[in-house]
Amino acid sequence: MHKVAIFLVIAAATGCSGGTTKVSTKSAPLEPGEVFWAKNQLAVQTELPGEARFQNFEIMALSNGDRVYCGEMNAMARSGIAEGFVPFYMRRSAGTVKAVNTGADSAEFSAKKCAEARNGALRINKV
């Protein structure tokens, strides 16, 4: 699963999907079923999904109908060492994950995208 995340980060950074578009964003309520689904999608990106911990979890609704999930995740390596809480960013469209960025390598990108979403506007790849 790490290869998928890395490809999505590269695709987002290079804009290989045909450019970007700007969407408006607003905070969305934390519905338990949606939060559970999103955390599971993020946790499976880690070596030990059952050990992933979350804090500052947020959901934002986009004007195009997509949803963005932001916060921090603490993943545990197989060695038993936690990497500490690191920003994550995930976007879904109609139940399909369109972008997922987790881990220290994409922390700066995730923090930037989440800040844009919190400020009410976000650039996303056109699909």
Side-chain angles (χ1 to χ4, degrees), residues 26-109:
K26 64 179 180 177
S27 183
L30 296 176
E31 300 292 337
E34 184 177 10
V35 171
F36 180 78
W37 175 86
K39 287 181 177 181
N40 279 326
Q41 296 298 310
L42 292 157
V44 298
Q45 305 298 316
T46 69
E47 292 182 20
L48 297 172
E51 300 299 319
R53 300 294 177 255
F54 298 88
Q55 67 182 21
N56 303 320
F57 195 90
E58 305 175 72
I59 302 175
M60 282 152 278
L62 281 59
S63 58
N64 70 345
D66 290 2
R67 306 281 265 192
V68 165
Y69 306 89
C70 292
E72 297 171 326
M73 180 172 64
N74 187 359
M76 185 76 68
R78 290 210 186 277
S79 64
I81 299 171
E83 69 177 21
F85 283 97
V86 176
F88 66 81
Y89 166 85
M90 183 172 70
R91 181 173 60 92
R92 78 159 167 89
S93 179
T96 301
V97 174
K98 295 291 185 178
V100 62
N101 299 282
T102 63
D105 293 344
S106 63
E108 186 176 325
F109 176 83

